[in-house]
Amino acid sequence: MNSPASVNAQGLVAKQPAGVEVATAVAGVPGVKGTPSVLFVDQSGQLGGAELCLLPLASTWAARREVLLLADGPFRARLESLGVQVELTCDARVSGISKNAVRFGWLMALPGIVRQARAIARRAKAFDVLFLNTQKALVLGALGKPLHRKRIIWHLHDIVSVEHFGPVQRLVVKWLTRFAVDHVVANSRASAASLVELTHFAPESVPVVHNGVDLNAFQDIDASDLRALRRHLGLPETAWLAGLFGRLAPWKGQHIALEALANLPDVHLVLVGAALFGEEAYVEALRVQAAGLRIEDRLHFVGFQDNAPAWMKAMDVILHTSTAPEPFGRVIIEGMAAGRPVIASAAGGVTEIVRHGKNGLLVEPGDAAALAGAVEALRAEPDRAQRLVSQALIDVEQHFSLDEYIAQMTKAIAYVAR
Ligand code: UDP
């Protein structure tokens, strides 16, 4: 980054009551004339956490803005339905590079990388700020900086550790962040810490803005007649339902939930989500595992669902089972907003949201027995579950509101445009 010291000088980082570091006031930063125009870039056309985080920011942006996607998919339709102009620049070779790509993978995609970096640079010229929302967007947007010469902000949604990324990717991220990115905002302290470790930036130069949820979207769902809601969604009306939301992928740990389910005879498990990035083999493995555990009749694959608030409200408990540290975990704040008790894997950004025994329960990642025990505990003690839910609703309103998230991101973008 060009000037982490000046970030400090502007007082961009402040302690929140909950001990959460967030980017704070930039109002009055010299040189900011109104709301800057922004080109948002995202590598995915799918609706993952990073995209659902960008959606409300891009759609409510108060100045000229456009979203440039590096792949097509339902994200485009969602943006367009909210009146956001979307452009596409797709390249199958570049899309095919995985997070753990080795040197060869990058070399094969080189012509596509150059083409896409130039395409981003061409579009960026018409905007004040280039907002990069994902890793590939970072690489391509930052590589083109000599061509577009625009200020760059990177929204970091990942823990850039060896657990999640290959050595080439980490090296590229390290040098591009140092020399081409003007400001980084991380989605959690866990993500920020991983970048600080990689780049040796001063910790205070990577402010944290946690995701926010629109509480109204949850309040709008009438769950007073739970049976009717479940009937409407095609779920068993009277079973005790545990919901696990998110894409089907090994590190999201759906197999841990299946293992736990085998020890919870009266519970049904609903897997809400799909294999978004080619993890079909894992889905097949889950089906084989379910057959082996004889839990098929209590396991429901419902695929990707657009209306997460309704599906969450239809559950008795929301599970989060990631086996690797989760960068943030939107599903957790959504579960809290839905007024359902949450049991989550204690690693990464999750521990910045869930306070064990206060607003939810934490279990060790990968510990199916502990997960089953936590579910049993909540079933056995509905009053305790209700206390967790009440506190979670207070916490989500105080620390994870959509308004606060948008306000903080707006300030960070305005700061970059100064
Ligand atoms: N989600 C959804 N429909 C589904 C499954 C998941 O809308 O069928 C949403 C979920 O509500 C959450 C996001 O996908 O907002 C997942 O975000 P999270 O941060 O939990 O995981 P990520 O995708 O970033 O790894």
Side-chain angles (χ1 to χ4, degrees), residues 48-50 52 246-247 252 272-273 303-305 308 326 329-331 334:
L52 288 163
R247 62 178 190 271
K252 290 289 186 183
V272 188
F304 184 88
Q305 298 295 333
E326 183 78 55
R330 285 178 62 84
V331 290
E334 290 168 345

Side-chain angles (χ1 to χ4, degrees), residues 111-378:
I113 290 173
V114 172
R115 218 172 15 252
Q116 286 202 308
R118 291 173 74 163
I120 293 172
R122 259 196 311 277
R123 291 220 75 81
K125 282 187 177 160
F127 295 87
D128 296 322
V129 173
L130 184 57
F131 183 106
L132 305 173
N133 199 47
T134 54
Q135 295 280 336
K136 274 179 204 161
L138 163 74
V139 172
L140 298 167
L143 277 176
K145 186 149 182 169
L147 300 175
H148 59 71
R149 296 172 180 275
K150 294 294 173 180
R151 308 275 297 171
I152 293 180
I153 180 167
W154 175 31
H155 196 179
L156 170 63
H157 296 276
D158 294 300
I159 293 177
V160 284
S161 65
V162 284
E163 218 167 344
H164 286 277
F165 290 92
V168 176
Q169 181 91 352
R170 277 164 48 84
L171 205 66
V172 169
V173 165
K174 176 174 169 175
W175 290 105
L176 286 178
T177 315
R178 276 196 183 166
F179 293 111
V181 172
D182 298 286
H183 191 40
V184 182
V185 173
N187 67 345
S188 68
R189 290 202 295 272
S191 297
S194 72
L195 187 70
V196 165
E197 199 185 320
L198 180 68
T199 56
H200 305 297
F201 286 159
E204 58 274 22
S205 70
V206 187
V208 173
V209 178
H210 285 141
N211 281 214
V213 277
D214 179 7
L215 280 165
N216 294 330
F218 291 84
Q219 279 153 9
D220 287 350
I221 306 293
D222 180 10
S224 55
D225 186 346
L226 195 59
R227 283 188 175 201
L229 177 62
R230 289 178 171 181
R231 201 178 314 127
H232 175 70
L233 299 175
L235 287 168
E237 289 177 35
T238 54
W240 206 87
L241 298 185
L244 177 46
F245 290 69
R247 62 178 190 271
L248 305 180
W251 78 273
K252 290 289 186 183
Q254 280 90 1
H255 58 288
I256 303 297
L258 264 61
E259 214 178 309
L261 187 65
N263 293 317
L264 295 163
D266 304 322
V267 175
H268 284 229
L269 176 65
V270 185
L271 297 182
V272 188
L276 296 186
F277 304 111
E279 296 97 345
E280 282 76 17
Y282 180 61
V283 181
E284 190 45 41
L286 289 176
R287 293 192 188 280
V288 171
Q289 183 188 2
L293 293 170
R294 298 179 188 281
I295 51 171
E296 294 148 296
D297 54 333
R298 295 186 289 116
L299 176 63
H300 310 270
F301 287 89
V302 300
F304 184 88
Q305 298 295 333
D306 256 336
N307 190 353
W311 283 84
M312 286 201 171
K313 280 197 157 180
M315 305 299 159
D316 290 292
V317 66
I318 304 295
L319 307 181
H320 166 269
T321 56
S322 294
T323 55
E326 183 78 55
F328 179 73
R330 285 178 62 84
V331 290
I332 295 166
I333 55 171
E334 290 168 345
M336 291 160 82
R340 297 294 175 262
V342 175
I343 304 172
S345 284
V350 174
T351 56
E352 297 162 41
I353 309 170
V354 179
R355 293 177 295 131
H356 180 67
K358 298 271 193 281
N359 62 4
L361 296 181
L362 290 170
V363 293
E364 280 304 309
D367 190 340
L371 181 62
V375 171
E376 273 308 349
L378 290 182

